[in-house]
């Protein structure tokens, strides 16, 4: 019998701790598939961030360094400069990357570090219980924006994929979603491209994945999944914002 | 061996290279910028990497990442920048990562000034970040020691798997003195079988400071604690200058110890029996050296360029019946004490 579906070898055979309906698990799988695709598992050093994905090393069968909150891109810079032969990626939430770690991500991108950044945008701080994030949509209620995000006071949500695409050092920047089979297939293609940039030594690649957080959105899994494709994708447009080598 | 005439900061940079450090991450700040300037010139010729980072926060985290791969790496800064590095230093201590941090400290608090200062003593030796940890702290008082202790910092960091700091100030960093650029000492270094390198067909390796399992973090902290005890037992270093017959023991470190030494020599010329005990390792603090010295000499005068920090460790270390006095001035422009000023304090302490 032909096997048509199996666990990527870069993923461990364990259950994740993610809530039902959370997209972190799907995004983990796409990262693992991309690693398998290029056969880089054995030379990969992952950089974990602080957030719901902090247990990266529990799920990926790769070497991992845990970074302080927001500093993953700086840690990855140190790793990659010291071991240029390794494949280095960070995996960061929106609080981690777009709030506390803004300086680190912008400058790693601007230096064109030869790393891949996986950015998980779920419009909230998942791990700490659903506070307002820099990506929280205007009007969205969170535990620290109980009346809804107010653009005049809190600013508008930051579109990181577009913002980083403007920097000379960035070779690839895209935004994907994993809320439907169709979007997952496309996301898989974009993850492959993002990884290929580093595999071929072509510079900094950034991939933003819209992600559901049913727990902190106060929704069931289906409604949360639905929100990703509607409200979120309306503001955070899916697409490729930079692809310097037309991979 | 050849002799050079160099600045203390340059000696640090030269020693880092001799110690095999090829990775430097930093952010400009006076009075330590000679270090990144030197290394930005030299490292590219040695197959190394120099990054002027966007901040001290980024540079300490680059150090964390590079150290996790097993290479020797360094960052340097001065007080306000060292404050920003504390988060990363705490993570490095928790993750048991080596790495050398140089603090050519200046006066504070806040922006303070750029003058020589010893007001970062507490921050350096008591664990400047969160979580209750220690790092190795070495306090050079000459250009030669800037060189030798920087090399030692790399070795101690590797042996004990923890960050090591060289703590000096602009007096030692900016002055020029003769330097014998010694070869890197042969040290018995443990194999780095914990570094991330890409697992290949081997076991996964993880460098982390998060321990959530029942009892895991407690066990980890006991392990760190044992390491600090081991350092105290094995690695204390100090200089004893004319202490054997002394009626008064002066305790000072770094730049202040230089001035104190001159004052002591002046006192000896006047027939006063004064000696100097100069801690070279601030952590581990040479507790036993103080206990032993005060078995005989019952008067101690601690002199610092601050309003009293190391004096607390001296008080905890001396024999019970020893009297510990203090003389110091808060750092700032014009506050560097003169030898005459210290001689005056020595005389006063002997008289009472
Ligand atoms: C310096 C610091 N500040 C705050 C925190 C608390 N904290 C832990 S995770 C987190 C944010 C997590 O949100 P995000 O990055 O969006 O990831 P998610 O959990 O949603 O995947 C915060 C603020 C911390 N660990 N360290
Ligand atoms: S809190 Fe949100 S982001 Fe975190 S695991 Fe649960 S659903 Fe996922």
């Amino acid at each position: 019998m032909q096997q048509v579906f199996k666990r990527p070898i870069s993923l461990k055979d364990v259950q994740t701790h993610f809530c039902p309906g959370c997209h972190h698990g799907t995004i983990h799988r796409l990262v693992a598939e991309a690693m398998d695709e290029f056969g880089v598992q054995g030379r990969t050093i992952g950089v974990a961030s602080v957030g719901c994905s902090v247990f990266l090393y529990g799920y990926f069968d790769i070497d991992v360094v845990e970074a302080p909150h927001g500093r993953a891109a700086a840690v990855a810079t140190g790793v990659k400069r010291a071991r240029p032969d390794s494949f280095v990626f960070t995996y960061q939430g929106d609080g981690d990357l777009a709030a506390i770690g803004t300086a680190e991500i912008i400058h790693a991108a601007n230096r064109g570090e030869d790393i891949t950044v996986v950015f998980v945008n779920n419009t909230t701080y998942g791990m700490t219980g659903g506070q307002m994030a820099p990506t929280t949509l205007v009007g969205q209620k969170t535990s620290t924006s109980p009346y809804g995000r107010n653009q005049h006071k809190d600013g508008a949500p930051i579109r990181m994929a577009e913002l980083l695409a403007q920097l000379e050092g960035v070779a690839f920047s895209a935004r994907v979603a994993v809320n439907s089979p169709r979007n997952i297939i496309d996301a898989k293609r974009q993850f492959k491209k993002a990884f290929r940039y580093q595999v071929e030594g072509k510079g900094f690649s950034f991939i933003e994945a819209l992600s559901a957080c049913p727990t902190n959105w106060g929704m069931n899994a289906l409604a949360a999944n639905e929100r990703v494709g509607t409200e979120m994708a309306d503001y955070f447009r899916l697409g490729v914002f930079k692809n310097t080598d037309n991979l | 061996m050849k002799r050079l005439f160099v600045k203390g900061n340059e000696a640090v940079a030269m020693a880092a290279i001799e110690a095999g450090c090829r990775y430097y991450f930093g952010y400009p700040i006076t009075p330590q910028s000679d270090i990144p300037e030197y290394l930005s010139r030299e490292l590219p010729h040695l197959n190394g990497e120099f990054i002027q980072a966007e901040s001290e926060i980024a540079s300490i985290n680059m150090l964390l990442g590079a150290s996790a791969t097993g290479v020797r790496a360094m960052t340097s800064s001065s007080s306000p920048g060292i404050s920003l590095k504390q988060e990363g230093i705490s993570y490095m201590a928790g993750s048991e990562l080596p790495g050398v941090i140089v603090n050519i400290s200046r006066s504070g608090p806040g922006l303070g000034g750029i003058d020589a200062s010893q007001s970062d003593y507490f921050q350096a030796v008591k664990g400047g970040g969160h979580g209750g940890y220690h790092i190795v702290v070495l306090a050079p008082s000459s250009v030669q020691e800037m060189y030798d202790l920087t090399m030692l910092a790399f070795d101690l960091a590797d042996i004990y798997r923890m960050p090591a700091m060289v703590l000096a100030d602009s007096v030692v960093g900016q002055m020029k003195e003769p330097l014998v650029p010694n070869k890197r000492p042969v040290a018995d270094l443990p194999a780095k079988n914990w570094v991330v390198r890409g697992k290949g067909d081997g076991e996964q390796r993880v460098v982390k400071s998060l321990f959530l399992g029942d009892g895991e973090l407690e066990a980890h902290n006991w392990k760190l604690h044992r390491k600090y005890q081991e350092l105290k037992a094995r690695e204390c270093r100090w200089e004893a200058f004319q202490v054997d017959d002394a009626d008064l023991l002066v305790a000072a470190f770094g730049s202040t110890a230089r001035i104190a030494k001159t004052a002591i020599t002046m006192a000896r010329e006047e027939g006063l029996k004064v000696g100097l005990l100069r801690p070279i390792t601030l952590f581990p603090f040479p507790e036993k050296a103080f206990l032993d010295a005060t078995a005989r000499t019952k008067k101690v005068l601690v002199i610092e360029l601050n309003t009293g920090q190391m004096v607390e460790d001296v008080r905890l270390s001396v024999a019970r019946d020893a009297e510990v006095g203090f003389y110091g001035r808060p750092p700032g422009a014009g506050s560097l004490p003169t030898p005459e000023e210290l001689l005056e304090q020595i005389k006063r302490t002997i008289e009472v």
Side-chain angles (χ1 to χ4, degrees):
Chain A
M1 215 181 353
Q2 195 200 347
Q3 188 176 22
V4 294
F5 193 75
K6 63 176 184 357
R7 183 173 45 79
I9 58 166
S10 301
L11 271 191
K12 294 183 186 178
D13 189 7
V14 292
Q15 272 193 343
T16 69
H17 71 288
F18 301 122
C19 309
C22 178
H23 286 178
H24 267 304
T26 314
I27 299 164
H28 273 40
R29 186 182 167 97
L30 289 172
V31 171
E33 285 178 355
M35 271 192 277
D36 285 6
E37 174 83 27
F38 294 105
V40 294
Q41 176 198 17
R43 63 183 178 92
T44 293
I45 300 173
V47 179
S49 65
V50 180
C52 282
S53 57
V54 67
F55 297 116
L56 207 70
Y57 48 85
Y59 307 131
F60 290 102
D61 190 16
I62 54 169
D63 281 4
V64 173
V65 185
E66 185 186 83
H69 191 27
R71 320 295 176 218
V75 171
T77 297
V79 170
K80 185 73 182 194
R81 294 289 184 109
R83 299 278 320 225
D85 50 336
S86 55
F87 183 90
V88 179
F89 76 90
T90 73
Y91 186 109
Q92 305 173 252
D94 41 18
D96 192 89
L97 181 140
I100 194 168
T102 327
E104 286 78 7
I105 191 64
I106 287 188
H107 288 277
N110 195 49
R111 286 189 303 266
E113 295 296 337
D114 213 359
I115 60 174
T116 303
V117 171
V118 178
F119 173 48
V120 178
N121 174 357
N122 59 12
T123 71
T124 191
Y125 284 59
M127 186 183 231
T128 42
Q131 293 82 8
M132 183 174 67
T135 45
T136 295
L137 295 176
V138 171
Q140 183 181 336
K141 288 183 177 159
T142 69
S143 65
T144 51
S145 57
Y147 309 110
R149 183 185 187 124
N150 175 338
Q151 184 167 344
H152 300 294
K153 291 184 174 172
D154 308 320
I158 300 181
R159 296 183 178 99
M160 286 307 297
E162 288 90 330
L163 192 147
L164 292 178
Q166 298 171 30
L167 300 175
E168 287 297 322
V170 174
F172 180 81
S173 177
R175 183 182 295 112
V176 300
V178 296
N179 62 324
S180 68
R182 190 161 164 241
N183 279 346
I184 290 177
I185 290 168
D186 186 56
K188 189 176 159 110
R189 256 200 303 270
Q190 304 308 340
F191 267 92
K192 243 175 85 175
K193 282 186 206 161
F195 276 51
R196 198 163 145 205
Y197 268 94
Q198 187 182 164
V199 168
E200 296 182 2
K202 289 185 164 143
F204 185 92
S205 51
F206 182 81
I207 183 150
E208 173 174 343
L210 301 185
S211 182
C213 177
T215 305
N216 288 305
W217 294 353
M219 292 178 178
N220 65 33
L222 274 180
N225 203 58
E226 176 87 18
R227 178 180 183 250
V228 171
T230 52
E231 251 181 74
M232 268 182 91
D234 276 352
Y235 185 85
F236 296 111
R237 225 161 28 83
L238 305 187
V240 177
F241 304 102
K242 194 146 184 203
N243 186 359
T244 44
D245 284 57
N246 271 321
L247 293 186
Chain B
M1 194 168 215
K2 66 180 170 180
R3 264 163 78 108
L4 307 172
F5 190 61
V6 299
K7 267 192 189 181
N9 284 344
E10 287 169 333
V12 167
M14 291 166 61
I17 289 174
E18 176 61 24
C21 169
R22 295 291 177 272
Y23 300 88
Y24 174 91
F25 313 101
Y27 186 85
I29 183 169
T30 307
Q32 61 81 56
S33 294
D34 322 78
I35 299 172
E37 283 164 9
Y38 188 99
L39 291 170
S40 66
R41 211 163 54 228
E42 299 303 324
L43 285 178
H45 305 303
L46 297 165
N47 246 329
E49 292 279 347
F50 170 91
I51 300 184
Q52 181 168 320
E54 59 272 26
S55 70
E56 289 85 352
I57 299 177
S59 47
I60 190 74
N61 283 289
M62 290 173 187
L63 176 67
L64 186 157
S67 286
T69 72
V71 301
R72 284 191 159 185
M74 181 171 96
T75 185
S76 65
S77 187
S78 181
S79 310
I82 296 292
S83 290
L84 283 180
K85 290 186 195 292
Q86 294 301 337
E87 177 197 47
I89 296 173
S90 168
Y91 273 75
M92 289 178 72
S95 309
E96 294 189 85
L97 283 177
V100 171
I101 301 133
V102 179
N103 181 2
I104 308 299
S105 65
R106 49 194 260 181
S107 42
L111 200 47
I114 57 168
D115 314 278
S117 162
Q118 297 188 319
S119 46
D120 290 354
Y121 177 92
F122 280 150
Q123 186 198 46
V125 307
K126 307 291 179 191
H130 65 283
Y133 63 89
H134 288 286
I135 61 174
V136 172
V137 184
L138 306 176
S141 81
S142 65
V143 169
Q144 185 67 49
E145 275 192 347
M146 287 288 257
Y147 186 91
D148 295 339
L149 295 182
T150 298
M151 288 204 287
L152 178 65
F154 278 101
D155 282 347
L156 292 179
D158 277 348
I159 292 169
Y160 293 91
R161 271 186 71 183
M162 60 193 282
M165 178 179 281
V166 176
L167 178 66
D169 57 30
S170 56
V171 171
V172 191
Q174 295 294 333
M175 79 183 165
K176 274 192 166 186
E177 280 187 316
L179 169 75
V180 179
N182 297 316
K183 285 277 157 246
R184 175 179 171 176
V186 182
D188 191 10
L189 300 174
K192 291 187 172 180
N193 54 8
W194 47 268
V195 306
V196 292
R197 73 296 184 215
K199 69 185 273 286
D201 296 326
E203 287 286 298
Q204 177 189 38
R205 287 182 190 165
V206 179
V207 171
K208 67 178 177 106
S209 62
L210 179 71
F211 298 95
L212 293 182
D214 239 12
E216 251 191 301
L217 184 58
E218 183 182 350
H220 179 65
N221 272 301
W222 280 124
K223 180 184 175 199
L224 297 183
H225 180 74
R226 281 192 300 275
K227 210 147 68 165
Y228 306 145
Q229 297 303 109
E230 219 178 293
L231 269 161
K232 282 186 185 181
R234 290 208 206 132
E235 305 294 352
C236 290
R237 287 165 171 79
W238 65 90
E239 181 198 2
F241 173 70
Q242 305 200 339
V243 297
D244 290 344
D245 66 339
D247 297 327
L248 172 70
L249 194 65
V250 170
F253 72 96
S255 55
T256 308
R258 290 284 290 252
I259 307 169
K261 215 175 193 177
T262 309
I264 287 166
T265 307
M266 289 158 70
R268 286 270 170 185
E269 278 162 13
E270 294 185 26
L272 300 170
K273 290 183 175 168
V274 188
L276 173 74
L277 196 58
R278 173 174 73 91
I280 295 172
T281 52
L282 300 183
F283 187 89
F285 192 74
E287 295 164 2
K288 192 160 177 308
F290 278 95
L291 184 64
D292 292 348
T294 50
R296 188 191 164 280
T297 308
K298 297 298 175 191
K299 271 191 183 176
V300 183
L301 175 64
V302 181
I303 303 176
E304 299 178 66
L305 193 52
N306 59 44
T307 49
Q309 298 193 16
M310 183 179 78
V311 62
E312 294 188 4
D313 287 327
V314 174
R315 287 202 170 110
L316 288 170
S317 307
V318 294
R320 276 180 153 198
D321 56 347
E323 268 174 62
V324 179
F326 176 76
Y327 181 73
R329 283 163 63 175
S335 77
L336 207 61
T338 60
E340 292 73 20
E341 182 181 339
L342 297 188
L343 178 62
E344 172 75 27
Q345 292 301 321
I346 287 168
K347 285 182 180 166
R348 259 193 224 176
T349 314
I350 290 176
E351 277 159 23
V352 288

